[in-house]
Amino acid sequence: MTKLIRLTTDADIGVIVIDNPPVNALTHPAVPDGIAAAIRRVEDDPALAAAVVIGHGKTFISGADLNEFEEITSGNHPVPDILPLLRGIEDCTKPVVMAVHGAALGGGLEVAMAGHYRVAVADAQFGQTEVRLGIMPGASGTQRLPRLVGLAKAAEMCAEGTIVRAAEALKLGLIDRVVDGDLLAGAIAFAREVAGRPTRTTRERTDKLGAPDQHAAIFAAAREAARKKQRGLTAPLLAIDAIEAGTRLSFDEACQLERDLFRQCLFSDGSKALIHVFFGERTVAKVPDVPATTPVLPVGCAGVVGAGMMGGGIAMVFANAGIPVVVKDIDQAALDRGMAALQRGYATAVKRGRTSQADADARLALIKPTLRYEDFADVDFVVEAVVEDMDLKTRVFRDLDATCRKGAILATNTSSLDLDRIAAATRRPESVIGTHFFSPANVMRLLEVVRGKATGKEVVATTMKLAKRLGKIGVLVGNCRGFVGNRMFDQYRREAQRLVEEGAAIEQVDRAMVDFGMPMGPLAVGDLIGLDVLYHGRNDLREAEARRGQPPPLEDRLYGLKRLGQKSGAGWYTYDDDRRATSDPDLAALVRKWAAEAGVVQRPVSADEIVERCVYALVNEGARILDDGYASRASDIDVLFINGYGFPAYRGGPMWYAQTIGLPKVHARIREFHQAYGPAWQPAPLLTRLADAGRTFTGRDVGAH
């Protein structure tokens, strides 16, 4: 044995322990080789009647190390093959019992399914989750899983990455027993029960594959679900293809096909993008100039100023994390409306099965309404969530500064206003930070954390740690207008409006971006947010734009016509009582009139041009932000746009996507747009430097201001 695999005995049972910290990954060659050698020793030892395979530490087997995938796709490492190991486990003539705690995911589940039996503790998890990384099972997962749980459930688990816990796994037939108490002792006892019985390999089971006349309907339903739930991804459909092949081909032939499809996925742009996102979401918490040893302040209770939709959602976020929260509003009527909305929100969560009534009641009990700032005297962290008005926000912060204890962190939920001006309203600017929650706050994963010039490192460290505790992905950015997210998104949506003025149909622009992978088109998003909200959010820009001779966006005209979006029944589209959108020919005629008045000659616009101009506007502004130091890494921008704005994860985020196209090609196209459409398309200096040098955004770490 190697130091990663230990074989000990408990009387007549061989105990094989996998000890490859931290998660017992299979990618170290000594792990599969050591397991195989241990199985052979059990087979050859007449004193042993069965074997138990168990993971040391917190989990069973995690599967592959994703760092290895990057090495493989760059050509520096061969694709590992554990099929011989799995065949060796199955072919052992003595029962092999897999004992699972923690998680058996991906390759870990494939190893577990090669055993003759599986037992697990109650909180163990099982899944073929490879699809979340744009790949599919590559070591017989699509072949053994259907033989244990049936075709329909296997298709769901492989195509959607569904994870099941031990109780469900037992009902499905994926495991044979849930062990109460010590797992190893329970597994050894189970192994003695089955010792001496003839072994039956998973690959030989066919009873759950169903009748051939049922297969077409099962796979049609699985493909329809995959296309609907995982739009743009190829791995789910290829996984279903592999499962279906298992009903027609021999086991070995189907495994070979699965392996070929796995390689196809692994080397795809989609997989590389999703792996980039996976690592990006783990890197984003690391702030270059804030060491991991920076002290973190305790957050035992919180406050929220504003009980409206955003404030109420933020209060739910704290309560859902078990943190008591005080919510203040200006008068009793507003406070009552806010608390009623919170009660409805929890009632809906219970009705939809997202939480139990007891949990909902407990969370609601953590939320205390108030009309007095004095009730914030002892909170550790307070979030201001009033309307986007600088005068109002500075008044709120003066009141918080006068009331909150020394050391409390004062956060603003502003989405674009100058954090330093807000902080200047207090005597403790070092304790002020931006926490831009995305709506609905209790659903969206992103938290854009904004650092001001005076914000202390302890405050940054505390807020980033708190983001994780709240179930959010915290992305630290610097203080500039719109910060990172809205600064870039404004350029994206403004370009969409320019395209309409130049002749693209409104619905054509939205359709092109939805086809690209966005959940909504840029103009439909404006109607959802409210064109009045967007209009007032630009108040500080309008005068400066007029001085530069820059025409206002078309949405300013829509605001003047009281077309405010869904809330008013008309914006870029018209809406019925159920807020269903319909194209408006009258608006199309108005746009043609406005274009003529502005001297814009309308023309046909292709879907390709719409995508290029909208996405490259994001990329160009993102490059400026990196150069200015308002984001630490290009991957931070990608994580922000995927989790906050719906940029398709399988494209890796706007900065990664630009690299897949090639920065020289993107830069050349932006230069063409600059020549055709003027100063708004001035290429970002960083983009020019990287394109000229043949470099990419990857690995840039410039440090947020």
Side-chain angles (χ1 to χ4, degrees):
M1 299 304 95
T2 70
K3 65 179 182 179
L4 302 181
I5 307 296
R6 298 191 301 273
L7 173 61
T8 60
T9 59
D10 187 301
D12 59 340
I13 305 298
V15 178
I16 301 169
V17 179
I18 305 163
D19 188 4
N20 182 24
V23 290
N24 296 326
L26 288 168
T27 38
H28 193 300
V31 175
D33 291 349
I35 297 172
I39 292 290
R40 289 194 296 269
R41 285 182 57 179
V42 171
E43 176 79 20
D44 295 340
D45 189 339
L48 298 178
V52 169
V53 180
I54 191 168
H56 179 73
K58 296 181 179 180
T59 194
F60 177 62
I61 296 173
S62 71
D65 181 344
L66 292 186
N67 289 297
E68 293 289 333
F69 284 169
E70 290 193 316
E71 290 294 308
I72 292 166
T73 55
S74 63
N76 297 327
H77 198 291
V79 179
D81 183 6
I82 64 168
L83 288 177
L85 165 66
L86 306 186
R87 180 61 69 103
I89 294 171
E90 274 194 327
D91 287 347
C92 182
T93 60
K94 299 173 183 179
V96 178
V97 179
M98 298 291 177
V100 179
H101 70 296
L105 305 177
L109 180 56
E110 288 171 315
V111 172
M113 291 189 295
H116 304 114
Y117 301 95
R118 284 151 297 283
V119 301
V121 293
D123 61 353
Q125 300 180 65
F126 302 84
Q128 297 289 179
T129 54
E130 295 91 339
V131 69
R132 299 180 183 184
L133 298 171
I135 54 178
M136 55 173 279
S140 72
T142 63
Q143 303 309 308
R144 287 191 172 90
L145 187 59
R147 287 163 165 79
L148 294 172
V149 305
L151 293 172
K153 188 63 180 181
E156 176 196 319
M157 291 179 69
C158 291
E160 299 182 21
T162 305
I163 293 175
V164 299
R165 293 191 176 272
E168 183 179 358
L170 182 63
K171 292 179 182 178
L172 291 169
L174 182 56
I175 64 175
D176 301 283
R177 181 172 295 174
V178 176
V179 174
D180 294 325
D182 183 72
L183 174 61
L184 180 57
I188 290 172
F190 182 89
R192 288 202 173 99
E193 290 178 32
V194 299
R197 296 182 190 176
T199 58
R200 185 184 182 193
T201 67
T202 303
R203 69 176 184 268
E204 292 172 338
R205 301 184 184 189
T206 59
D207 55 297
K208 290 194 175 181
L209 296 184
D213 60 354
Q214 301 171 327
H215 294 169
I218 290 172
F219 293 121
R223 289 187 175 99
E224 182 180 358
R227 291 188 182 101
K228 181 179 180 180
K229 296 179 182 179
Q230 294 167 292
R231 187 166 59 97
L233 295 177
T234 58
L237 296 172
L238 293 179
I240 295 169
D241 289 346
I243 294 171
E244 185 176 28
T247 66
R248 298 181 284 102
L249 305 175
S250 71
F251 182 84
D252 289 341
E253 289 172 331
C255 284
Q256 183 57 55
L257 174 65
E258 177 200 71
R259 188 163 173 79
D260 292 342
L261 295 176
F262 167 79
R263 289 180 61 90
Q264 179 181 329
C265 292
L266 182 60
F267 287 89
S268 69
D269 286 342
S271 175
K272 293 174 184 177
L274 288 167
I275 291 172
H276 161 73
V277 175
F278 177 89
F279 283 116
E281 289 184 352
R282 281 143 188 82
T283 303
V284 76
K286 300 175 182 177
V287 180
D289 70 331
V290 180
T293 55
T294 302
V296 173
L297 306 173
V299 178
C301 54
V304 176
V305 182
M309 183 177 71
M310 180 58 77
I314 295 170
M316 288 180 76
V317 170
F318 281 105
N320 291 348
I323 300 173
V325 56
V326 179
V327 180
K328 180 193 178 299
D329 215 313
I330 192 168
D331 57 40
Q332 193 63 48
L335 200 57
D336 290 344
R337 285 194 300 271
M339 292 304 296
L342 285 169
Q343 291 167 352
R344 288 194 301 272
Y346 279 118
T348 299
V350 172
K351 183 178 180 180
R352 294 179 179 175
R354 293 175 182 166
T355 190
S356 67
Q357 186 63 55
D359 282 346
D361 291 343
R363 293 171 182 178
L364 197 56
L366 291 173
I367 303 173
K368 175 187 174 182
T370 186
L371 295 173
R372 300 169 355 113
Y373 275 109
E374 288 77 8
D375 288 329
F376 289 132
D378 296 321
V379 302
D380 302 311
F381 197 103
V382 59
V383 181
E384 165 272 307
V386 301
V387 297
E388 199 78 339
D389 179 87
M390 179 60 79
D391 290 340
L392 176 58
K393 288 182 184 289
T394 53
R395 287 200 301 273
V396 168
F397 269 77
R398 280 194 291 270
D399 289 335
L400 290 173
D401 186 42
T403 307
C404 293
R405 66 170 182 81
K406 183 179 180 181
I409 295 174
L410 311 183
T412 173
N413 183 56
T414 180
S415 60
S416 62
L417 298 180
D418 186 350
L419 177 66
D420 293 325
R421 280 186 61 189
I422 294 171
T426 75
R427 294 163 296 176
R428 50 173 116 178
E430 71 283 355
S431 296
V432 176
I433 196 164
T435 51
H436 176 204
F437 288 82
F438 283 66
S439 184
N442 56 308
V443 174
M444 296 293 286
R445 295 179 70 204
L446 181 69
L447 180 63
E448 191 177 28
V449 179
V450 187
R451 183 184 197 175
K453 289 180 180 177
T455 306
K457 290 186 178 182
E458 289 186 0
V459 172
V460 171
T462 301
T463 306
M464 294 297 284
K465 184 175 181 180
L466 178 63
K468 186 175 182 180
R469 183 179 171 190
L470 297 177
K472 304 296 183 185
I473 297 175
V475 180
L476 184 71
V477 303
N479 178 37
C480 57
R481 192 190 186 284
F483 313 131
V484 170
N486 282 342
R487 174 173 161 178
M488 291 174 63
F489 202 61
D490 284 350
Q491 296 304 314
Y492 166 80
R493 293 195 64 259
R494 188 147 190 167
E495 198 59 31
Q497 295 174 63
R498 291 189 185 106
L499 284 158
V500 170
E501 188 176 36
E502 291 169 25
I506 294 163
E507 58 274 16
Q508 180 195 7
V509 172
D510 280 346
R511 172 51 54 190
M513 295 314 303
V514 169
D515 288 346
F516 175 78
M518 300 295 283
M520 293 180 70
L523 304 174
V525 166
D527 280 356
L528 177 65
I529 295 170
L531 301 188
D532 55 336
V533 174
L534 295 169
Y535 179 87
H536 292 300
R538 295 184 57 259
N539 282 342
D540 59 328
L541 285 181
R542 201 164 283 108
E543 184 178 332
E545 288 175 346
R547 286 198 303 270
R548 293 195 300 266
Q550 185 175 346
L554 291 182
E555 283 181 345
D556 280 14
R557 290 180 178 264
L558 299 190
Y559 173 80
L561 295 173
K562 295 185 168 39
R563 297 180 68 113
L564 309 181
Q566 292 185 15
K567 67 177 70 176
S568 69
W572 287 103
Y573 300 89
T574 56
Y575 296 89
D576 62 18
D577 291 341
D578 295 321
R579 297 200 172 191
R580 287 177 296 207
T582 304
S583 298
D584 186 347
D586 291 338
L587 179 58
L590 265 178
V591 170
R592 288 193 294 271
K593 176 176 176 289
W594 293 337
E597 290 171 352
V600 176
V601 178
Q602 293 197 319
R603 60 182 174 82
V605 179
S606 70
D608 287 345
E609 182 181 348
I610 291 169
V611 170
E612 281 188 327
R613 286 176 58 180
C614 289
V615 176
Y616 292 1
L618 286 175
V619 173
N620 202 37
E621 195 65 23
R624 292 187 193 283
I625 285 168
L626 281 172
D627 222 11
D628 292 343
Y630 293 116
S632 297
R633 293 163 287 257
S635 60
D636 287 8
I637 295 175
D638 290 334
V639 168
L640 190 152
F641 260 83
I642 288 166
N643 289 285
Y645 296 88
F647 197 94
Y650 63 85
R651 297 193 188 276
M655 313 312 283
W656 178 268
Y657 175 73
Q659 292 178 182
T660 66
I661 299 298
L663 293 192
K665 183 176 179 180
V666 172
H667 180 255
R669 195 73 171 118
I670 287 175
R671 288 182 62 190
E672 291 175 11
F673 294 152
H674 181 216
Q675 188 171 16
Y677 305 116
W681 278 103
Q682 174 75 42
L686 173 62
L687 181 60
T688 299
R689 295 197 303 272
L690 295 178
D692 289 347
R695 295 172 57 205
T696 68
F697 294 118
T698 303
R700 284 192 55 79
D701 188 345
V702 294
H705 284 183

Short mmCIF file of all heavy atoms in Angstrom, two decimals, residues 71-109:
data_model
loop_
_atom_site.label_atom_id
_atom_site.label_comp_id
_atom_site.label_asym_id
_atom_site.label_seq_id
_atom_site.Cartn_x
_atom_site.Cartn_y
_atom_site.Cartn_z
N GLU A 71 -4.79 21.25 -16.48
CA GLU A 71 -3.57 20.66 -17.02
C GLU A 71 -3.88 19.77 -18.22
O GLU A 71 -3.16 19.75 -19.21
CB GLU A 71 -2.86 19.84 -15.93
CG GLU A 71 -2.25 20.68 -14.82
CD GLU A 71 -1.10 21.54 -15.34
OE1 GLU A 71 -0.18 21.00 -15.98
OE2 GLU A 71 -1.14 22.77 -15.11
N ILE A 72 -4.98 19.02 -18.12
CA ILE A 72 -5.37 18.12 -19.21
C ILE A 72 -5.72 18.91 -20.47
O ILE A 72 -5.24 18.62 -21.57
CB ILE A 72 -6.57 17.25 -18.78
CG1 ILE A 72 -6.13 16.26 -17.69
CG2 ILE A 72 -7.14 16.48 -19.97
CD1 ILE A 72 -7.30 15.60 -16.98
N THR A 73 -6.56 19.92 -20.32
CA THR A 73 -7.02 20.67 -21.50
C THR A 73 -5.91 21.51 -22.10
O THR A 73 -6.00 21.90 -23.27
CB THR A 73 -8.22 21.57 -21.14
OG1 THR A 73 -7.87 22.42 -20.05
CG2 THR A 73 -9.42 20.72 -20.75
N SER A 74 -4.85 21.79 -21.34
CA SER A 74 -3.71 22.52 -21.91
C SER A 74 -2.70 21.57 -22.54
O SER A 74 -1.67 22.00 -23.06
CB SER A 74 -3.03 23.37 -20.83
OG SER A 74 -2.49 22.55 -19.81
N GLY A 75 -2.98 20.27 -22.46
CA GLY A 75 -2.11 19.28 -23.08
C GLY A 75 -0.96 18.81 -22.21
O GLY A 75 -0.08 18.09 -22.68
N ASN A 76 -0.95 19.20 -20.93
CA ASN A 76 0.16 18.86 -20.05
C ASN A 76 -0.06 17.58 -19.25
O ASN A 76 0.82 17.16 -18.49
CB ASN A 76 0.41 20.01 -19.07
CG ASN A 76 0.84 21.28 -19.77
OD1 ASN A 76 1.51 21.23 -20.80
ND2 ASN A 76 0.43 22.42 -19.24
N HIS A 77 -1.24 16.96 -19.40
CA HIS A 77 -1.56 15.80 -18.57
C HIS A 77 -2.54 14.93 -19.34
O HIS A 77 -3.49 15.44 -19.95
CB HIS A 77 -2.20 16.29 -17.25
CG HIS A 77 -2.20 15.27 -16.16
ND1 HIS A 77 -2.98 14.15 -16.21
CD2 HIS A 77 -1.52 15.22 -14.98
CE1 HIS A 77 -2.78 13.44 -15.11
NE2 HIS A 77 -1.90 14.07 -14.35
N PRO A 78 -2.38 13.61 -19.33
CA PRO A 78 -3.33 12.74 -20.02
C PRO A 78 -4.65 12.67 -19.26
O PRO A 78 -4.71 12.93 -18.05
CB PRO A 78 -2.62 11.38 -20.02
CG PRO A 78 -1.73 11.43 -18.82
CD PRO A 78 -1.27 12.86 -18.70
N VAL A 79 -5.72 12.30 -19.96
CA VAL A 79 -7.01 12.11 -19.32
C VAL A 79 -6.94 10.85 -18.47
O VAL A 79 -6.63 9.77 -18.98
CB VAL A 79 -8.14 11.98 -20.37
CG1 VAL A 79 -9.48 11.75 -19.67
CG2 VAL A 79 -8.20 13.21 -21.25
N PRO A 80 -7.17 10.95 -17.15
CA PRO A 80 -7.07 9.76 -16.30
C PRO A 80 -8.14 8.73 -16.65
O PRO A 80 -9.24 9.09 -17.10
CB PRO A 80 -7.27 10.31 -14.88
CG PRO A 80 -8.01 11.59 -15.07
CD PRO A 80 -7.56 12.15 -16.39
N ASP A 81 -7.83 7.47 -16.45
CA ASP A 81 -8.76 6.39 -16.77
C ASP A 81 -8.87 5.49 -15.54
O ASP A 81 -7.95 4.75 -15.21
CB ASP A 81 -8.24 5.60 -17.97
CG ASP A 81 -9.21 4.49 -18.39
OD1 ASP A 81 -10.31 4.44 -17.81
OD2 ASP A 81 -8.85 3.69 -19.27
N ILE A 82 -10.02 5.54 -14.86
CA ILE A 82 -10.21 4.69 -13.68
C ILE A 82 -11.10 3.49 -14.00
O ILE A 82 -11.47 2.75 -13.07
CB ILE A 82 -10.77 5.49 -12.48
CG1 ILE A 82 -12.17 6.02 -12.79
CG2 ILE A 82 -9.83 6.61 -12.07
CD1 ILE A 82 -12.89 6.58 -11.55
N LEU A 83 -11.45 3.30 -15.27
CA LEU A 83 -12.29 2.15 -15.61
C LEU A 83 -11.66 0.82 -15.20
O LEU A 83 -12.36 -0.06 -14.69
CB LEU A 83 -12.63 2.16 -17.10
CG LEU A 83 -13.62 3.24 -17.56
CD1 LEU A 83 -13.80 3.18 -19.07
CD2 LEU A 83 -14.97 3.06 -16.87
N PRO A 84 -10.34 0.63 -15.39
CA PRO A 84 -9.75 -0.63 -14.91
C PRO A 84 -9.91 -0.82 -13.40
O PRO A 84 -10.14 -1.94 -12.93
CB PRO A 84 -8.28 -0.49 -15.31
CG PRO A 84 -8.28 0.43 -16.48
CD PRO A 84 -9.37 1.42 -16.17
N LEU A 85 -9.79 0.26 -12.63
CA LEU A 85 -10.01 0.16 -11.19
C LEU A 85 -11.42 -0.31 -10.89
O LEU A 85 -11.64 -1.21 -10.07
CB LEU A 85 -9.76 1.52 -10.52
CG LEU A 85 -10.29 1.67 -9.08
CD1 LEU A 85 -9.54 0.73 -8.14
CD2 LEU A 85 -10.19 3.12 -8.62
N LEU A 86 -12.40 0.32 -11.55
CA LEU A 86 -13.80 -0.02 -11.29
C LEU A 86 -14.10 -1.47 -11.67
O LEU A 86 -14.82 -2.17 -10.95
CB LEU A 86 -14.73 0.94 -12.03
CG LEU A 86 -14.49 2.44 -11.79
CD1 LEU A 86 -15.57 3.27 -12.47
CD2 LEU A 86 -14.44 2.76 -10.31
N ARG A 87 -13.54 -1.91 -12.78
CA ARG A 87 -13.73 -3.30 -13.19
C ARG A 87 -13.09 -4.23 -12.17
O ARG A 87 -13.65 -5.28 -11.83
CB ARG A 87 -13.14 -3.52 -14.58
CG ARG A 87 -13.28 -4.94 -15.11
CD ARG A 87 -14.74 -5.35 -15.23
NE ARG A 87 -15.43 -4.63 -16.28
CZ ARG A 87 -15.71 -5.14 -17.47
NH1 ARG A 87 -15.35 -6.37 -17.77
NH2 ARG A 87 -16.37 -4.43 -18.36
N GLY A 88 -11.93 -3.86 -11.65
CA GLY A 88 -11.26 -4.69 -10.65
C GLY A 88 -12.06 -4.81 -9.37
O GLY A 88 -12.10 -5.88 -8.74
N ILE A 89 -12.71 -3.70 -8.96
CA ILE A 89 -13.56 -3.75 -7.77
C ILE A 89 -14.74 -4.69 -8.00
O ILE A 89 -15.04 -5.56 -7.17
CB ILE A 89 -14.05 -2.33 -7.40
CG1 ILE A 89 -12.88 -1.44 -6.96
CG2 ILE A 89 -15.11 -2.40 -6.30
CD1 ILE A 89 -13.25 0.02 -6.79
N GLU A 90 -15.41 -4.51 -9.13
CA GLU A 90 -16.58 -5.33 -9.42
C GLU A 90 -16.23 -6.81 -9.55
O GLU A 90 -17.01 -7.69 -9.16
CB GLU A 90 -17.25 -4.86 -10.72
CG GLU A 90 -18.24 -3.74 -10.53
CD GLU A 90 -19.12 -3.52 -11.75
OE1 GLU A 90 -18.65 -3.73 -12.87
OE2 GLU A 90 -20.28 -3.15 -11.56
N ASP A 91 -15.08 -7.12 -10.12
CA ASP A 91 -14.72 -8.50 -10.38
C ASP A 91 -14.18 -9.23 -9.15
O ASP A 91 -13.90 -10.43 -9.21
CB ASP A 91 -13.68 -8.57 -11.51
CG ASP A 91 -14.31 -8.28 -12.87
OD1 ASP A 91 -15.55 -8.28 -12.95
OD2 ASP A 91 -13.55 -8.04 -13.83
N CYS A 92 -14.01 -8.51 -8.04
CA CYS A 92 -13.61 -9.18 -6.80
C CYS A 92 -14.68 -10.20 -6.41
O CYS A 92 -15.88 -9.89 -6.42
CB CYS A 92 -13.42 -8.15 -5.69
SG CYS A 92 -12.85 -8.86 -4.12
N THR A 93 -14.28 -11.41 -6.10
CA THR A 93 -15.25 -12.46 -5.78
C THR A 93 -15.77 -12.36 -4.35
O THR A 93 -16.68 -13.10 -3.97
CB THR A 93 -14.62 -13.85 -6.00
OG1 THR A 93 -13.48 -13.98 -5.13
CG2 THR A 93 -14.20 -14.03 -7.45
N LYS A 94 -15.18 -11.47 -3.58
CA LYS A 94 -15.65 -11.24 -2.22
C LYS A 94 -16.41 -9.90 -2.17
O LYS A 94 -16.03 -8.96 -2.87
CB LYS A 94 -14.47 -11.22 -1.25
CG LYS A 94 -13.69 -12.53 -1.23
CD LYS A 94 -12.43 -12.44 -0.40
CE LYS A 94 -11.65 -13.75 -0.47
NZ LYS A 94 -10.39 -13.69 0.31
N PRO A 95 -17.46 -9.81 -1.39
CA PRO A 95 -18.25 -8.57 -1.37
C PRO A 95 -17.41 -7.35 -0.99
O PRO A 95 -16.63 -7.39 -0.03
CB PRO A 95 -19.32 -8.85 -0.31
CG PRO A 95 -19.41 -10.33 -0.24
CD PRO A 95 -18.03 -10.84 -0.51
N VAL A 96 -17.57 -6.29 -1.77
CA VAL A 96 -16.93 -5.02 -1.48
C VAL A 96 -18.02 -4.03 -1.08
O VAL A 96 -18.93 -3.75 -1.87
CB VAL A 96 -16.14 -4.48 -2.69
CG1 VAL A 96 -15.52 -3.12 -2.36
CG2 VAL A 96 -15.06 -5.47 -3.12
N VAL A 97 -17.93 -3.51 0.14
CA VAL A 97 -18.93 -2.60 0.68
C VAL A 97 -18.33 -1.19 0.71
O VAL A 97 -17.30 -0.96 1.35
CB VAL A 97 -19.35 -3.02 2.10
CG1 VAL A 97 -20.38 -2.03 2.67
CG2 VAL A 97 -19.92 -4.43 2.09
N MET A 98 -18.97 -0.27 0.03
CA MET A 98 -18.53 1.12 0.04
C MET A 98 -19.23 1.85 1.18
O MET A 98 -20.46 1.85 1.27
CB MET A 98 -18.88 1.80 -1.30
CG MET A 98 -18.20 1.16 -2.49
SD MET A 98 -16.43 1.48 -2.47
CE MET A 98 -15.89 0.55 -3.92
N ALA A 99 -18.45 2.46 2.07
CA ALA A 99 -18.99 3.17 3.23
C ALA A 99 -18.84 4.67 3.00
O ALA A 99 -17.73 5.19 2.94
CB ALA A 99 -18.24 2.74 4.49
N VAL A 100 -19.97 5.35 2.88
CA VAL A 100 -19.95 6.75 2.42
C VAL A 100 -20.37 7.71 3.53
O VAL A 100 -21.43 7.54 4.14
CB VAL A 100 -20.88 6.92 1.20
CG1 VAL A 100 -20.89 8.38 0.75
CG2 VAL A 100 -20.45 6.00 0.06
N HIS A 101 -19.53 8.70 3.77
CA HIS A 101 -19.91 9.85 4.59
C HIS A 101 -19.52 11.08 3.80
O HIS A 101 -18.80 11.01 2.80
CB HIS A 101 -19.20 9.82 5.94
CG HIS A 101 -17.72 10.08 5.86
ND1 HIS A 101 -16.85 9.24 5.22
CD2 HIS A 101 -16.97 11.11 6.35
CE1 HIS A 101 -15.62 9.72 5.31
NE2 HIS A 101 -15.66 10.86 5.99
N GLY A 102 -20.01 12.23 4.22
CA GLY A 102 -19.71 13.44 3.44
C GLY A 102 -20.39 13.36 2.09
O GLY A 102 -21.61 13.34 2.00
N ALA A 103 -19.59 13.28 1.04
CA ALA A 103 -20.16 13.28 -0.30
C ALA A 103 -19.47 12.26 -1.20
O ALA A 103 -18.26 12.06 -1.11
CB ALA A 103 -20.04 14.67 -0.93
N ALA A 104 -20.27 11.61 -2.03
CA ALA A 104 -19.76 10.78 -3.11
C ALA A 104 -20.29 11.43 -4.39
O ALA A 104 -21.42 11.17 -4.81
CB ALA A 104 -20.25 9.34 -2.98
N LEU A 105 -19.50 12.30 -4.97
CA LEU A 105 -19.91 13.07 -6.13
C LEU A 105 -18.97 12.79 -7.29
O LEU A 105 -17.79 12.54 -7.10
CB LEU A 105 -19.90 14.57 -5.82
CG LEU A 105 -20.73 15.03 -4.61
CD1 LEU A 105 -20.54 16.53 -4.38
CD2 LEU A 105 -22.20 14.70 -4.81
N GLY A 106 -19.51 12.87 -8.50
CA GLY A 106 -18.67 12.67 -9.68
C GLY A 106 -17.97 11.34 -9.67
O GLY A 106 -18.59 10.27 -9.51
N GLY A 107 -16.64 11.38 -9.79
CA GLY A 107 -15.86 10.15 -9.77
C GLY A 107 -15.99 9.39 -8.48
O GLY A 107 -15.85 8.15 -8.45
N GLY A 108 -16.29 10.09 -7.38
CA GLY A 108 -16.49 9.42 -6.10
C GLY A 108 -17.70 8.50 -6.16
O GLY A 108 -17.67 7.37 -5.64
N LEU A 109 -18.79 8.96 -6.78
CA LEU A 109 -19.96 8.10 -6.92
C LEU A 109 -19.68 6.96 -7.89
O LEU A 109 -20.16 5.83 -7.69
CB LEU A 109 -21.16 8.92 -7.38
CG LEU A 109 -22.47 8.14 -7.57
CD1 LEU A 109 -22.85 7.39 -6.29
CD2 LEU A 109 -23.60 9.06 -8.00
#
